Amino acid sequence: MNVLSSIASAVSDIVGPSDQEVVAAPSARHRSTAVIVGSGEGAIQVGGGAPIVVQSMTNTDTADIAGTVAQVAALSRAGSEMVRITVDRDEAAAAVPHIRDRLAKIGCFVPLIGDFHYIGHKLLADHPACAEALAKYRINPGNVGFKDKKDLQFGTIIEKAIEYGKAVRIGANWGSLDQDLLTNLMDENAKSANPKDMGAVTREAMLQSALLSAARAEEMGLGKDRIILSAKVSAVQQLVAVYKMLAARSSYAIHLGLTEAGMGSKGIVASAAALGVLLQEGIGDTIRVSLTPEPNGDRTVEVKVAQEILQTMGFRTFVPLVAACPGCGRTTSTVFQELARDIQNHIRDEMPNWKTRYPGVETLNVAVMGCIVNGPGESKHADIGISLPGTGETPAAPVFIDGKKALTLRGANIADEFKVLVADYIERRFGAAAQSAAE
């Protein structure tokens, strides 16, 4: 064996398997029963191998019809495929059919989910138009009723779901567990020869609450293809543990979400960490990122974060990706930062229109780089990319299209000229494809 062969062999022993073997692929999706939520133009499938669905929730007073319609429409436009609204009192329940009708008039057919607590059974019985207008009912078995009234009130909601052909999410929550069930499990655990810690007992209580409620709903006649389960916790490791148990013990469609995730970067990081682990394990059919918005903040941020989690992990594609360097001492100019922001915002704003005009545009990759170190290389990997001049560099910006240098921009209008090039590229590549398909 010559020296080069010896070196190659040694490197192979150190490196180990090929890149293809090393890169972890997502686990096979958890086998779940398909649930159709909604009907007609707005119907969407959750589970059964369908793409993972993004959903969100309003924070308006549902009795405020105009305000709720505006927020639901904004969430839908941002990409929320189902929207949950609070139905907590008579005025809110009475508003629901009007909200549905006003949304339909503006061409928004997103399925509406009614979030019920404590008196959901009464509201659905007293407001049949609300029961009919909603696409799905959300029930928390921990607060649907207490003591002797629990089964009766839960049963009333299930009966309405059967009567109107609606789906139901049975969602156990760490903060509002069935106290009788939890107490019984705690007592049993205390008598055990090998007692578990409180966290393990609480997780078991959550699972039993959801699974026993689902079994009860099926006994009453609600099909498995109408049931979605969730088990929400606010601690990442606890959430991962409880959802792994839920997936192992059932084949219901699963709603994922870290409850009370928090505000800003904390909420985004916690949600991405928890949901990322579970999605990689093949668990989850629909997700919601429960972010606390800034005062008067943009509610659609939670939709964008949910989409970005799915797209970053390679599960779905929603919007073109813009790669941009973080900046350093070589990039004291803010031009590349402003351009990356403007391109990303422009893409997000235009996507609702582009989806119909340019099929496939969501797969586009754009690079906006700040200097010559990694700029040309990253730009070549993108569909269209620009490498802006850094500190002390020649004031020229090469543009790469489909991996090849196409031209160099110079002068004070580099940013505006690149935006035009991006628009032209989209029209040429995706507009032509749309035209060919139409012919």
PDB file of all heavy atoms in Angstrom, residues 32-65:
ATOM      1  N   SER A  32     -51.127   7.979  11.772  1.00  0.00           N
ATOM      2  CA  SER A  32     -52.296   8.566  12.421  1.00  0.00           C
ATOM      3  C   SER A  32     -53.503   8.519  11.494  1.00  0.00           C
ATOM      4  O   SER A  32     -53.377   8.431  10.273  1.00  0.00           O
ATOM      5  CB  SER A  32     -52.012  10.021  12.827  1.00  0.00           C
ATOM      6  OG  SER A  32     -51.744  10.815  11.683  1.00  0.00           O
ATOM      7  N   THR A  33     -54.671   8.594  12.086  1.00  0.00           N
ATOM      8  CA  THR A  33     -55.916   8.574  11.343  1.00  0.00           C
ATOM      9  C   THR A  33     -56.178   9.940  10.727  1.00  0.00           C
ATOM     10  O   THR A  33     -56.033  10.971  11.388  1.00  0.00           O
ATOM     11  CB  THR A  33     -57.089   8.215  12.284  1.00  0.00           C
ATOM     12  OG1 THR A  33     -56.817   6.953  12.887  1.00  0.00           O
ATOM     13  CG2 THR A  33     -58.407   8.154  11.528  1.00  0.00           C
ATOM     14  N   ALA A  34     -56.545   9.967   9.460  1.00  0.00           N
ATOM     15  CA  ALA A  34     -56.822  11.223   8.774  1.00  0.00           C
ATOM     16  C   ALA A  34     -58.110  11.852   9.303  1.00  0.00           C
ATOM     17  O   ALA A  34     -59.111  11.168   9.505  1.00  0.00           O
ATOM     18  CB  ALA A  34     -56.938  10.993   7.274  1.00  0.00           C
ATOM     19  N   VAL A  35     -58.063  13.163   9.534  1.00  0.00           N
ATOM     20  CA  VAL A  35     -59.224  13.926   9.983  1.00  0.00           C
ATOM     21  C   VAL A  35     -59.439  15.084   9.012  1.00  0.00           C
ATOM     22  O   VAL A  35     -58.507  15.854   8.756  1.00  0.00           O
ATOM     23  CB  VAL A  35     -59.017  14.484  11.406  1.00  0.00           C
ATOM     24  CG1 VAL A  35     -60.222  15.310  11.848  1.00  0.00           C
ATOM     25  CG2 VAL A  35     -58.751  13.355  12.401  1.00  0.00           C
ATOM     26  N   ILE A  36     -60.638  15.197   8.466  1.00  0.00           N
ATOM     27  CA  ILE A  36     -60.960  16.321   7.599  1.00  0.00           C
ATOM     28  C   ILE A  36     -61.600  17.412   8.444  1.00  0.00           C
ATOM     29  O   ILE A  36     -62.618  17.196   9.103  1.00  0.00           O
ATOM     30  CB  ILE A  36     -61.916  15.911   6.459  1.00  0.00           C
ATOM     31  CG1 ILE A  36     -61.312  14.770   5.638  1.00  0.00           C
ATOM     32  CG2 ILE A  36     -62.228  17.108   5.571  1.00  0.00           C
ATOM     33  CD1 ILE A  36     -59.996  15.101   4.967  1.00  0.00           C
ATOM     34  N   VAL A  37     -60.986  18.589   8.434  1.00  0.00           N
ATOM     35  CA  VAL A  37     -61.499  19.730   9.193  1.00  0.00           C
ATOM     36  C   VAL A  37     -62.070  20.737   8.205  1.00  0.00           C
ATOM     37  O   VAL A  37     -61.380  21.176   7.281  1.00  0.00           O
ATOM     38  CB  VAL A  37     -60.392  20.385  10.038  1.00  0.00           C
ATOM     39  CG1 VAL A  37     -60.937  21.591  10.797  1.00  0.00           C
ATOM     40  CG2 VAL A  37     -59.798  19.379  11.007  1.00  0.00           C
ATOM     41  N   GLY A  38     -63.331  21.093   8.400  1.00  0.00           N
ATOM     42  CA  GLY A  38     -63.975  22.021   7.487  1.00  0.00           C
ATOM     43  C   GLY A  38     -64.610  21.303   6.320  1.00  0.00           C
ATOM     44  O   GLY A  38     -64.590  20.069   6.220  1.00  0.00           O
ATOM     45  N   SER A  39     -65.177  22.090   5.421  1.00  0.00           N
ATOM     46  CA  SER A  39     -65.836  21.523   4.251  1.00  0.00           C
ATOM     47  C   SER A  39     -65.690  22.482   3.078  1.00  0.00           C
ATOM     48  O   SER A  39     -65.329  23.649   3.256  1.00  0.00           O
ATOM     49  CB  SER A  39     -67.328  21.275   4.531  1.00  0.00           C
ATOM     50  OG  SER A  39     -67.970  22.496   4.881  1.00  0.00           O
ATOM     51  N   GLY A  40     -65.978  21.976   1.893  1.00  0.00           N
ATOM     52  CA  GLY A  40     -65.916  22.824   0.716  1.00  0.00           C
ATOM     53  C   GLY A  40     -64.526  23.349   0.445  1.00  0.00           C
ATOM     54  O   GLY A  40     -63.523  22.648   0.643  1.00  0.00           O
ATOM     55  N   GLU A  41     -64.434  24.613   0.044  1.00  0.00           N
ATOM     56  CA  GLU A  41     -63.168  25.211  -0.374  1.00  0.00           C
ATOM     57  C   GLU A  41     -62.136  25.273   0.745  1.00  0.00           C
ATOM     58  O   GLU A  41     -60.937  25.238   0.490  1.00  0.00           O
ATOM     59  CB  GLU A  41     -63.446  26.618  -0.911  1.00  0.00           C
ATOM     60  CG  GLU A  41     -62.285  27.234  -1.655  1.00  0.00           C
ATOM     61  CD  GLU A  41     -62.663  28.530  -2.351  1.00  0.00           C
ATOM     62  OE1 GLU A  41     -63.862  28.741  -2.613  1.00  0.00           O
ATOM     63  OE2 GLU A  41     -61.741  29.321  -2.646  1.00  0.00           O
ATOM     64  N   GLY A  42     -62.599  25.365   1.983  1.00  0.00           N
ATOM     65  CA  GLY A  42     -61.657  25.514   3.083  1.00  0.00           C
ATOM     66  C   GLY A  42     -61.243  24.220   3.757  1.00  0.00           C
ATOM     67  O   GLY A  42     -60.445  24.236   4.690  1.00  0.00           O
ATOM     68  N   ALA A  43     -61.768  23.085   3.315  1.00  0.00           N
ATOM     69  CA  ALA A  43     -61.479  21.814   3.987  1.00  0.00           C
ATOM     70  C   ALA A  43     -59.996  21.483   3.937  1.00  0.00           C
ATOM     71  O   ALA A  43     -59.322  21.719   2.930  1.00  0.00           O
ATOM     72  CB  ALA A  43     -62.290  20.692   3.353  1.00  0.00           C
ATOM     73  N   ILE A  44     -59.501  20.922   5.029  1.00  0.00           N
ATOM     74  CA  ILE A  44     -58.093  20.546   5.085  1.00  0.00           C
ATOM     75  C   ILE A  44     -57.938  19.239   5.847  1.00  0.00           C
ATOM     76  O   ILE A  44     -58.676  18.994   6.815  1.00  0.00           O
ATOM     77  CB  ILE A  44     -57.247  21.669   5.727  1.00  0.00           C
ATOM     78  CG1 ILE A  44     -55.747  21.379   5.569  1.00  0.00           C
ATOM     79  CG2 ILE A  44     -57.605  21.860   7.208  1.00  0.00           C
ATOM     80  CD1 ILE A  44     -54.898  22.603   5.774  1.00  0.00           C
ATOM     81  N   GLN A  45     -57.004  18.413   5.405  1.00  0.00           N
ATOM     82  CA  GLN A  45     -56.768  17.133   6.068  1.00  0.00           C
ATOM     83  C   GLN A  45     -55.665  17.266   7.103  1.00  0.00           C
ATOM     84  O   GLN A  45     -54.608  17.828   6.842  1.00  0.00           O
ATOM     85  CB  GLN A  45     -56.386  16.055   5.052  1.00  0.00           C
ATOM     86  CG  GLN A  45     -56.116  14.686   5.688  1.00  0.00           C
ATOM     87  CD  GLN A  45     -55.820  13.610   4.665  1.00  0.00           C
ATOM     88  OE1 GLN A  45     -56.404  13.587   3.589  1.00  0.00           O
ATOM     89  NE2 GLN A  45     -54.905  12.699   4.994  1.00  0.00           N
ATOM     90  N   VAL A  46     -55.934  16.723   8.283  1.00  0.00           N
ATOM     91  CA  VAL A  46     -54.946  16.664   9.361  1.00  0.00           C
ATOM     92  C   VAL A  46     -54.649  15.200   9.631  1.00  0.00           C
ATOM     93  O   VAL A  46     -55.567  14.419   9.907  1.00  0.00           O
ATOM     94  CB  VAL A  46     -55.474  17.337  10.640  1.00  0.00           C
ATOM     95  CG1 VAL A  46     -54.458  17.215  11.774  1.00  0.00           C
ATOM     96  CG2 VAL A  46     -55.806  18.799  10.379  1.00  0.00           C
ATOM     97  N   GLY A  47     -53.388  14.793   9.569  1.00  0.00           N
ATOM     98  CA  GLY A  47     -53.025  13.404   9.826  1.00  0.00           C
ATOM     99  C   GLY A  47     -53.198  12.531   8.600  1.00  0.00           C
ATOM    100  O   GLY A  47     -53.491  13.002   7.500  1.00  0.00           O
ATOM    101  N   GLY A  48     -52.995  11.241   8.805  1.00  0.00           N
ATOM    102  CA  GLY A  48     -53.116  10.309   7.692  1.00  0.00           C
ATOM    103  C   GLY A  48     -52.053  10.500   6.629  1.00  0.00           C
ATOM    104  O   GLY A  48     -52.273  10.170   5.461  1.00  0.00           O
ATOM    105  N   GLY A  49     -50.905  11.054   7.009  1.00  0.00           N
ATOM    106  CA  GLY A  49     -49.825  11.261   6.055  1.00  0.00           C
ATOM    107  C   GLY A  49     -49.881  12.582   5.319  1.00  0.00           C
ATOM    108  O   GLY A  49     -49.012  12.873   4.490  1.00  0.00           O
ATOM    109  N   ALA A  50     -50.883  13.424   5.604  1.00  0.00           N
ATOM    110  CA  ALA A  50     -50.992  14.728   4.945  1.00  0.00           C
ATOM    111  C   ALA A  50     -49.868  15.655   5.428  1.00  0.00           C
ATOM    112  O   ALA A  50     -49.305  15.458   6.505  1.00  0.00           O
ATOM    113  CB  ALA A  50     -52.350  15.357   5.252  1.00  0.00           C
ATOM    114  N   PRO A  51     -49.530  16.677   4.639  1.00  0.00           N
ATOM    115  CA  PRO A  51     -48.532  17.651   5.105  1.00  0.00           C
ATOM    116  C   PRO A  51     -48.929  18.243   6.451  1.00  0.00           C
ATOM    117  O   PRO A  51     -50.119  18.424   6.731  1.00  0.00           O
ATOM    118  CB  PRO A  51     -48.555  18.729   4.004  1.00  0.00           C
ATOM    119  CG  PRO A  51     -49.023  18.005   2.782  1.00  0.00           C
ATOM    120  CD  PRO A  51     -50.009  16.988   3.272  1.00  0.00           C
ATOM    121  N   ILE A  52     -47.942  18.527   7.278  1.00  0.00           N
ATOM    122  CA  ILE A  52     -48.190  19.053   8.620  1.00  0.00           C
ATOM    123  C   ILE A  52     -48.853  20.429   8.498  1.00  0.00           C
ATOM    124  O   ILE A  52     -48.352  21.316   7.815  1.00  0.00           O
ATOM    125  CB  ILE A  52     -46.878  19.138   9.412  1.00  0.00           C
ATOM    126  CG1 ILE A  52     -46.281  17.734   9.570  1.00  0.00           C
ATOM    127  CG2 ILE A  52     -47.119  19.762  10.792  1.00  0.00           C
ATOM    128  CD1 ILE A  52     -44.821  17.722   9.948  1.00  0.00           C
ATOM    129  N   VAL A  53     -49.982  20.582   9.171  1.00  0.00           N
ATOM    130  CA  VAL A  53     -50.820  21.772   9.036  1.00  0.00           C
ATOM    131  C   VAL A  53     -50.413  22.843  10.047  1.00  0.00           C
ATOM    132  O   VAL A  53     -50.186  22.546  11.224  1.00  0.00           O
ATOM    133  CB  VAL A  53     -52.311  21.402   9.236  1.00  0.00           C
ATOM    134  CG1 VAL A  53     -53.192  22.644   9.240  1.00  0.00           C
ATOM    135  CG2 VAL A  53     -52.752  20.418   8.151  1.00  0.00           C
ATOM    136  N   VAL A  54     -50.348  24.092   9.587  1.00  0.00           N
ATOM    137  CA  VAL A  54     -50.057  25.227  10.468  1.00  0.00           C
ATOM    138  C   VAL A  54     -51.370  25.860  10.915  1.00  0.00           C
ATOM    139  O   VAL A  54     -52.253  26.123  10.100  1.00  0.00           O
ATOM    140  CB  VAL A  54     -49.209  26.289   9.740  1.00  0.00           C
ATOM    141  CG1 VAL A  54     -49.079  27.555  10.582  1.00  0.00           C
ATOM    142  CG2 VAL A  54     -47.830  25.726   9.418  1.00  0.00           C
ATOM    143  N   GLN A  55     -51.491  26.086  12.211  1.00  0.00           N
ATOM    144  CA  GLN A  55     -52.678  26.773  12.718  1.00  0.00           C
ATOM    145  C   GLN A  55     -52.281  27.845  13.712  1.00  0.00           C
ATOM    146  O   GLN A  55     -51.133  27.929  14.152  1.00  0.00           O
ATOM    147  CB  GLN A  55     -53.667  25.792  13.335  1.00  0.00           C
ATOM    148  CG  GLN A  55     -53.175  25.014  14.536  1.00  0.00           C
ATOM    149  CD  GLN A  55     -54.288  24.147  15.103  1.00  0.00           C
ATOM    150  OE1 GLN A  55     -55.148  24.622  15.848  1.00  0.00           O
ATOM    151  NE2 GLN A  55     -54.275  22.865  14.753  1.00  0.00           N
ATOM    152  N   SER A  56     -53.245  28.691  14.063  1.00  0.00           N
ATOM    153  CA  SER A  56     -52.987  29.810  14.969  1.00  0.00           C
ATOM    154  C   SER A  56     -54.264  30.112  15.741  1.00  0.00           C
ATOM    155  O   SER A  56     -55.280  29.435  15.569  1.00  0.00           O
ATOM    156  CB  SER A  56     -52.552  31.043  14.168  1.00  0.00           C
ATOM    157  OG  SER A  56     -53.578  31.397  13.242  1.00  0.00           O
ATOM    158  N   MET A  57     -54.207  31.152  16.575  1.00  0.00           N
ATOM    159  CA  MET A  57     -55.377  31.529  17.366  1.00  0.00           C
ATOM    160  C   MET A  57     -55.468  33.040  17.475  1.00  0.00           C
ATOM    161  O   MET A  57     -54.447  33.723  17.631  1.00  0.00           O
ATOM    162  CB  MET A  57     -55.311  30.910  18.763  1.00  0.00           C
ATOM    163  CG  MET A  57     -56.553  31.169  19.601  1.00  0.00           C
ATOM    164  SD  MET A  57     -56.512  30.310  21.200  1.00  0.00           S
ATOM    165  CE  MET A  57     -58.129  30.773  21.836  1.00  0.00           C
ATOM    166  N   THR A  58     -56.685  33.568  17.392  1.00  0.00           N
ATOM    167  CA  THR A  58     -56.882  35.002  17.565  1.00  0.00           C
ATOM    168  C   THR A  58     -56.755  35.384  19.032  1.00  0.00           C
ATOM    169  O   THR A  58     -56.904  34.553  19.918  1.00  0.00           O
ATOM    170  CB  THR A  58     -58.276  35.418  17.077  1.00  0.00           C
ATOM    171  OG1 THR A  58     -59.267  34.719  17.845  1.00  0.00           O
ATOM    172  CG2 THR A  58     -58.472  35.090  15.600  1.00  0.00           C
ATOM    173  N   ASN A  59     -56.496  36.669  19.262  1.00  0.00           N
ATOM    174  CA  ASN A  59     -56.546  37.189  20.633  1.00  0.00           C
ATOM    175  C   ASN A  59     -57.532  38.344  20.738  1.00  0.00           C
ATOM    176  O   ASN A  59     -57.480  39.149  21.663  1.00  0.00           O
ATOM    177  CB  ASN A  59     -55.160  37.597  21.133  1.00  0.00           C
ATOM    178  CG  ASN A  59     -54.536  38.713  20.293  1.00  0.00           C
ATOM    179  OD1 ASN A  59     -55.089  39.128  19.286  1.00  0.00           O
ATOM    180  ND2 ASN A  59     -53.367  39.182  20.717  1.00  0.00           N
ATOM    181  N   THR A  60     -58.444  38.420  19.785  1.00  0.00           N
ATOM    182  CA  THR A  60     -59.504  39.418  19.841  1.00  0.00           C
ATOM    183  C   THR A  60     -60.653  38.913  20.713  1.00  0.00           C
ATOM    184  O   THR A  60     -60.758  37.710  20.976  1.00  0.00           O
ATOM    185  CB  THR A  60     -60.061  39.682  18.439  1.00  0.00           C
ATOM    186  OG1 THR A  60     -60.539  38.439  17.889  1.00  0.00           O
ATOM    187  CG2 THR A  60     -59.014  40.267  17.521  1.00  0.00           C
ATOM    188  N   ASP A  61     -61.519  39.824  21.114  1.00  0.00           N
ATOM    189  CA  ASP A  61     -62.785  39.436  21.730  1.00  0.00           C
ATOM    190  C   ASP A  61     -63.671  38.956  20.581  1.00  0.00           C
ATOM    191  O   ASP A  61     -63.997  39.733  19.673  1.00  0.00           O
ATOM    192  CB  ASP A  61     -63.404  40.644  22.437  1.00  0.00           C
ATOM    193  CG  ASP A  61     -64.769  40.337  23.056  1.00  0.00           C
ATOM    194  OD1 ASP A  61     -65.266  39.203  22.893  1.00  0.00           O
ATOM    195  OD2 ASP A  61     -65.332  41.244  23.693  1.00  0.00           O
ATOM    196  N   THR A  62     -64.060  37.702  20.602  1.00  0.00           N
ATOM    197  CA  THR A  62     -64.818  37.139  19.480  1.00  0.00           C
ATOM    198  C   THR A  62     -66.141  37.868  19.271  1.00  0.00           C
ATOM    199  O   THR A  62     -66.665  37.898  18.144  1.00  0.00           O
ATOM    200  CB  THR A  62     -65.050  35.634  19.708  1.00  0.00           C
ATOM    201  OG1 THR A  62     -63.773  35.007  19.911  1.00  0.00           O
ATOM    202  CG2 THR A  62     -65.723  34.981  18.522  1.00  0.00           C
ATOM    203  N   ALA A  63     -66.673  38.476  20.321  1.00  0.00           N
ATOM    204  CA  ALA A  63     -67.905  39.257  20.170  1.00  0.00           C
ATOM    205  C   ALA A  63     -67.679  40.497  19.303  1.00  0.00           C
ATOM    206  O   ALA A  63     -68.639  41.052  18.752  1.00  0.00           O
ATOM    207  CB  ALA A  63     -68.435  39.666  21.542  1.00  0.00           C
ATOM    208  N   ASP A  64     -66.429  40.913  19.175  1.00  0.00           N
ATOM    209  CA  ASP A  64     -66.066  42.004  18.261  1.00  0.00           C
ATOM    210  C   ASP A  64     -65.925  41.408  16.867  1.00  0.00           C
ATOM    211  O   ASP A  64     -64.860  40.940  16.476  1.00  0.00           O
ATOM    212  CB  ASP A  64     -64.759  42.654  18.725  1.00  0.00           C
ATOM    213  CG  ASP A  64     -64.227  43.694  17.742  1.00  0.00           C
ATOM    214  OD1 ASP A  64     -64.939  44.030  16.767  1.00  0.00           O
ATOM    215  OD2 ASP A  64     -63.091  44.151  17.937  1.00  0.00           O
ATOM    216  N   ILE A  65     -67.010  41.408  16.122  1.00  0.00           N
ATOM    217  CA  ILE A  65     -67.043  40.713  14.839  1.00  0.00           C
ATOM    218  C   ILE A  65     -66.034  41.300  13.856  1.00  0.00           C
ATOM    219  O   ILE A  65     -65.241  40.568  13.247  1.00  0.00           O
ATOM    220  CB  ILE A  65     -68.465  40.755  14.243  1.00  0.00           C
ATOM    221  CG1 ILE A  65     -69.429  39.978  15.146  1.00  0.00           C
ATOM    222  CG2 ILE A  65     -68.478  40.176  12.822  1.00  0.00           C
ATOM    223  CD1 ILE A  65     -70.889  40.106  14.750  1.00  0.00           C
TER     224      ILE A  65
END
